[in-house]
Amino acid sequence: MVKDAPIGVFDSGVGGLSVLDEIQCLLPHESLLYVADCGHIPYGEKTPAFILDRSRRVAAFFREKGAKAFVIACNTATVAAVADLRQDYPDWPLVGMEPAVKPAAAATRSGVVGVLATTGTLQSAKFAALLDRFATDVRVITQPCPGLVELIETGDLSSPALRVMLQGYVEPLIAAGCDTIILGCTHYPFLKPLLAEMLPPTIILIDTGAAVARQLQRLLSDRELLATGNPVPAQFWTSGDPEHLRKILPTLWNFPGVVRSFGL
Ligand code: DGL
């Protein structure tokens, strides 16, 4: 692997852009490739076998492009695919992500933590293990959010439909006394402005994008693979409609980028 090779970042859709942004800000010399599997969204309601198959196709695509590292910027794909991908590519720096239970358990003062995530993430054995490990002294209220990702994918982050749905998902968490809410899906950080309107100001929101960027930095630095040159603008591929991604990209991504079709 060469230092100036790109980094591949993957999500079921545009959610991983919240992670891509953290990577871009922390590692501005890196060239970034991003695959949004919008043609198969939402992953939250798909089987682990289906998601593993999609993740393997994307991994093979990034390998072909010479990516020096792979970031699964999706909690749902991580639980379904990260273990197999690590076996497939034992020497490839690979970063997955999971809901931030440990920092949330450390941050809560009320002792009640809420988790907003997809059904797939919340039902996984990996999430259960995370709770067993880090949430022994706190009460955790989980809230699956079917439908939310599809509304975020429209690119309208303040639509009436989105407000109503989000309100319905956060109300039980507020009622249960949560003072800390984990955003356990990479799409949800885009809802922070809406959540700020809906939640009492004392509630802390925790997501893992910045931690993932730091972990990527550590892995690359350990292998002396951090880029030093001038990066090429981010390249995006979508298995959905490239025109739609081109249209909504400027609301979700503050840097230049080229969008193409992903046909695998
Ligand atoms: N963005 C993804 C995550 O972090 C999943 C969205 C979906 O359901 O496709 O879990």
Side-chain angles (χ1 to χ4, degrees), residues 11-12 41-44 74-76 118 149 185-187:
D11 181 40
S12 60
I41 208 159
Y43 278 7
C74 175
N75 295 265
T76 316
T118 67
V149 157
C185 166
T186 54
H187 281 73

Side-chain angles (χ1 to χ4, degrees), residues 50-51 65 90 152 190 192 250 259 264:
F50 178 86
I51 299 169
K65 297 273 169 206
I152 296 166
F190 290 116
K192 280 182 185 169
V259 178
L264 296 175

Side-chain angles (χ1 to χ4, degrees), residues 8-13 15-16 19 43-44 46-56 58 70-87 94-100 117-118 120-127 130 183-186 208-209 212 215:
V9 181
F10 157 60
D11 181 40
S12 60
V19 181
Y43 278 7
K46 301 276 191 307
T47 64
F50 178 86
I51 299 169
L52 174 59
D53 175 61
R54 295 304 301 163
S55 305
R56 281 192 159 131
V58 176
F70 182 29
V71 178
I72 308 176
C74 175
N75 295 265
T76 316
T78 298
V79 297
V82 75
D84 292 276
L85 289 172
R86 284 194 203 286
Q87 277 188 3
L94 205 162
V95 185
M97 58 198 305
E98 57 193 18
T118 67
T121 297
L122 295 176
Q123 283 179 350
S124 68
K126 219 165 152 37
F127 181 68
L130 206 56
L183 303 179
C185 166
T186 54
T208 21
V212 164
Q215 171 66 1

